[in-house]
Amino acid sequence: MAVNLIHLPRILERHGEALLADWIREQLQSRSRTGAIKEGELREQCAEFLRLFREATTKGGVDMTRPEYGPLRELLANVSASRGAQGFSPSETAKFVFSFKRPLFMRLREELMRDPVALADETWAATELLDELGLYTTEVYQKAREAVIVRQQEEMLELSTPVVKLWDGILALPMIGTLDSNRTQVVMETLLEKIVETGSEVAIIDITGVPTVDTLVAQHLMKTVAAARLMGAECIISGIRPAIAQTIVHLAIDLGTVVTKANLADAFKAALDKLGVAQLPGR
Amino acid sequence: MDRIPILRMGEFLLVTIQVDMHDQLALTLQDDLTAQITRTGARGVLIDISSLDVVDSFIGRMLGSIASMARLMNAETVVVGMQPSVAITLVELGLTLHGIRTALNVEKGMALLRAGAARRSRA
């Protein structure tokens, strides 16, 4: 695209204040989430955008990949991120840029009334540039969202695998949520490391919070149990709900020699027995 | 070092593997250990692998066969101190070492051997 912006920087220069006022009015009228963003903040963002936009178009032409557009892109990224955090939708975020079109084109028309060709060219170049900038905010918005999702996934992974010490030599691992290969790996590693750290001989894996047990989950469990056994610790699986017991039998899953108990209390008792801890009679 | 030392503690043998196991070393250990069991009339073998970071399927299988050989010669084998990463590797390799007894550390392994010896002498 060979069109260069000749008039635009000049218009921005001359009518900056008026454009800013028009633009802010435009946004205040059209926004659906009234009061979600403070007017002062909006004014600040708009003024900054105008200033950087003017600099960028003066020096960098209409190609927003050029380094002259760096500060402008940064501003848009910040605006997009802060709006995303405030709960704006992607289209509302993009409107920040798109709403600038109307006041800008009005000015262009007034200025270039005598020269239709220049008006058309200038309008076309400006609209393309603004579209790109608007899409850029959407892209940044999307990226910010993805980062949030990835972070939450990691947090969930960490949160969902606590290993607690029940007694001297007894660990418990209450598992919550669906078990996939990724999670089982983390669970296995944390449990085994904790076994070494505490020198525990018995580990209770409680699966009360695991919604379904299929062959894959059973295999993961067996692997964890086998690894713990290799290190010299015994595992007890507890929290086998009636539905899970039925599934295990229907699927003909062989849990082998693993000790299983219906609830954590029974498993704890079995673990104490195994360690030879004397218990008070008549519980 | 081309030989892993085998220490005698009463009626048990203690083997501490502190170097990277390569295949020849493993085979030498197998020879030495069986010879020592006969010579000393040991009733139990304790293999400490707590400083072993890497194992392959050969070493895994070798541990299994040492245990089987020792059992044939009336000695129990206990493997102690396996690192989590090693345990995970062995399980992923499908080597769950059935028939080998395990313990968390040398102390617990010794207790296990003593309990086993006491049980057998009673029987």
Side-chain angles (χ1 to χ4, degrees):
Chain A
M1 199 184 60
V3 183
N4 248 326
L5 296 166
I6 310 151
H7 304 283
L8 189 66
R10 187 170 51 83
I11 290 168
L12 288 170
E13 177 88 53
R14 196 182 300 163
H15 302 287
E17 287 301 311
L19 267 171
L20 181 63
D22 285 352
W23 186 21
I24 289 169
R25 204 176 321 116
E26 175 88 24
Q27 289 191 72
L28 288 176
Q29 274 168 8
S30 70
R31 70 177 177 184
S32 47
R33 301 169 54 100
T34 40
I37 186 164
K38 288 192 200 78
E39 200 180 322
E41 196 185 342
L42 181 69
R43 190 172 293 276
E44 215 171 89
Q45 287 172 349
C46 291
E48 186 71 5
F49 176 87
L50 263 184
R51 191 176 65 78
L52 293 172
F53 186 61
R54 194 179 68 223
E55 274 175 24
T57 44
T58 314
K59 292 180 205 147
V62 289
D63 183 7
M64 74 163 279
T65 54
R66 290 179 58 150
E68 285 86 352
Y69 277 85
L72 184 60
R73 280 205 302 269
E74 203 171 299
L75 170 75
L76 285 178
N78 286 339
V79 168
S80 181
S82 76
R83 296 209 171 189
Q86 281 167 335
F88 281 80
S89 75
S91 51
E92 280 168 330
T93 309
K95 258 185 207 149
F96 169 71
V97 177
F98 292 146
S99 61
F100 182 53
K101 279 186 184 181
R102 199 217 286 256
L104 180 66
F105 293 170
M106 297 271 270
R107 291 287 157 188
L108 276 174
R109 201 173 68 183
E110 280 168 23
E111 288 286 314
L112 300 171
M113 235 168 354
R114 314 276 156 123
D115 189 353
V117 178
L119 175 61
D121 283 352
E122 204 84 357
T123 310
W124 173 245
T127 196
E128 267 204 332
L129 180 59
L130 286 174
D131 282 353
E132 263 179 67
L133 290 172
L135 287 176
Y136 179 73
T137 61
T138 314
E139 211 171 281
V140 173
Y141 184 92
Q142 194 81 14
K143 272 191 195 136
R145 274 293 156 97
E146 270 161 28
V148 169
I149 291 173
V150 168
R151 205 192 63 228
Q152 280 177 343
Q153 267 176 343
E154 280 168 7
E155 275 170 8
M156 220 159 71
L157 212 58
E158 306 237 316
L159 275 180
S160 58
T161 51
V163 180
V164 289
K165 186 173 173 180
L166 287 184
W167 200 270
D168 204 21
I170 304 177
L171 291 179
L173 176 75
M175 294 227 248
I176 294 161
T178 318
L179 287 173
D180 54 23
S181 313
N182 218 352
R183 262 196 72 193
T184 323
Q185 193 70 25
V186 177
V187 167
M188 204 196 259
E189 276 165 22
T190 36
L191 179 64
L192 298 187
E193 257 148 42
K194 209 74 180 183
I195 285 175
V196 176
E197 205 178 292
T198 59
S200 301
E201 279 175 48
V202 185
I204 303 171
I205 303 177
D206 186 73
I207 57 167
T208 314
V210 178
T212 49
V213 172
D214 55 14
T215 45
L216 201 65
V217 172
Q219 197 201 348
H220 287 322
L221 282 176
M222 295 300 290
K223 271 187 186 171
T224 311
V225 172
R229 204 192 67 81
L230 280 177
M231 291 172 50
E234 197 183 306
C235 282
I236 300 175
I237 296 179
S238 76
I240 313 263
R241 284 176 283 123
I244 288 186
Q246 288 183 23
T247 325
I248 288 178
V249 172
H250 283 305
L251 290 174
I253 296 167
D254 183 19
L255 282 182
T257 53
V258 183
V259 182
T260 53
K261 297 284 176 200
N263 54 47
L264 188 59
D266 287 348
F268 186 44
K269 196 164 181 301
L272 288 175
D273 284 343
K274 191 179 154 39
L275 290 184
V277 179
Q279 294 159 64
L280 288 175
R283 178 190 59 130
Chain B
M1 184 199 260
D2 41 29
R3 210 151 263 227
I4 290 173
I6 299 170
L7 312 174
R8 186 176 167 188
M9 278 184 76
E11 53 180 349
F12 307 122
L13 295 178
L14 177 62
V15 180
T16 307
I17 300 176
Q18 285 178 336
V19 289
D20 274 345
M21 285 288 269
H22 52 80
D23 295 1
Q24 192 51 51
L25 199 61
L27 289 173
T28 317
L29 175 66
Q30 209 163 290
D31 286 345
D32 288 356
L33 198 59
T34 41
Q36 283 282 350
I37 291 174
T38 332
R39 181 134 41 91
T40 59
R43 308 294 304 273
V45 177
L46 190 137
I47 306 176
D48 176 18
I49 56 167
S50 52
S51 40
L52 207 62
D53 295 325
V54 188
V55 288
D56 56 17
S57 57
F58 183 81
I59 304 299
R61 224 178 41 241
M62 190 262 328
L63 287 175
S65 46
I66 284 183
S68 306
M69 291 168 198
R71 197 174 314 112
L72 285 174
M73 305 169 82
N74 194 25
E76 237 187 308
T77 305
V78 178
V79 172
V80 305
M82 191 183 289
Q83 296 291 328
S85 54
V86 172
I88 292 173
T89 313
L90 285 182
V91 169
E92 293 296 334
L93 288 172
L95 289 167
T96 47
L97 304 185
H98 278 296
I100 278 197
R101 313 194 62 179
T102 50
L104 286 169
N105 50 42
V106 176
E107 198 185 335
K108 284 178 177 155
M110 271 298 170
L112 205 63
L113 279 180
R114 282 200 199 97
R119 198 171 50 240
R120 274 190 298 178
S121 62
R122 248 186 284 123

